[in-house]
């Protein structure tokens, strides 16, 4: 069994975190609290806490990055929504059993050491869904 606890963050693909920060940090109350390069994903991330959840800016670190490919196809914009669950292994097993298409059948480690896994947009009505457990 597992439960969805909340929207943990919304991931936004940007060409440049520095450029995007001009807008986001221009909103009173929003500040980038840390940036991190996730080598395995070829991505640099920056988090802006918004109360109980966060905005995650994602910048490609090279042309082969999934973020570079996303921007090539669709332009900058919302890339994924991340739901926080209390047991990611159970969540993945449950979704798989229900016949849903998963990108990751086992969790991997994302920014901040969180366990994350992606569910395919074909299973969710067009949204790339990240599950995460902190
Ligand atoms: Zn994310």
């Amino acid at each position: 069994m597992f439960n969805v606890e909340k929207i943990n963050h919304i991931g936004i693909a940007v060409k440049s975190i520095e450029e995007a920060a001009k807008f986001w940090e221009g909103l009173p109350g929003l500040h980038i609290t840390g940036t991190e390069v996730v080598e395995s994903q070829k991505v640099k991330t920056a988090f802006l806490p918004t109360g109980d959840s966060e905005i995650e800016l994602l910048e490609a670190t090279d042309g082969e990055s999934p973020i570079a490919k996303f921007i090539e196809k669709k332009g900058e914009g919302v890339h994924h929504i991340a739901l926080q669950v209390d047991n990611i292994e159970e969540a993945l097993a449950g979704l798989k059993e229900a016949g849903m298409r998963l990108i990751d059948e086992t969790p991997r480690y994302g920014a901040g050491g969180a366990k994350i896994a992606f569910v395919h947009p074909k299973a969710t009505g067009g949204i790339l869904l990240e599950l995460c457990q902190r």
Side-chain angles (χ1 to χ4, degrees), residues 47-103:
F47 280 93
L48 298 98
T50 59
D52 204 27
S53 47
E54 297 183 281
I55 288 170
E56 175 185 33
L57 302 177
L58 301 147
E59 176 188 319
T61 55
D62 81 33
E64 291 304 299
S65 164
I67 294 302
K69 288 177 182 162
F70 177 89
I71 290 175
E72 235 166 70
K73 256 200 239 167
K74 301 188 176 173
E76 294 178 293
V78 172
H79 177 259
H80 65 271
I81 292 175
L83 292 179
Q84 182 174 312
V85 296
D86 58 0
N87 186 328
I88 195 167
E89 285 85 3
E90 292 264 320
L92 292 172
L95 294 180
K96 192 180 174 189
E97 204 174 287
M100 289 187 201
R101 190 163 157 195
L102 304 175
I103 293 173

Side-chain angles (χ1 to χ4, degrees), residues 7-30:
I7 291 179
N8 182 276
H9 64 269
I10 295 175
I12 300 172
V14 301
K15 288 181 183 160
S16 157
I17 285 174
E18 200 185 326
E19 278 301 308
K22 289 178 190 166
F23 167 71
W24 290 103
E25 291 200 308
L27 299 176
L30 286 192

Side-chain angles (χ1 to χ4, degrees), residues 35-38 45 47 54 56 109-116 133-134:
T35 61
E36 182 179 340
V37 172
V38 182
T45 67
F47 280 93
E54 297 183 281
E56 175 185 33
Y109 288 93
K115 281 200 246 181
I116 67 165
Q133 184 184 352
R134 305 230 155 205

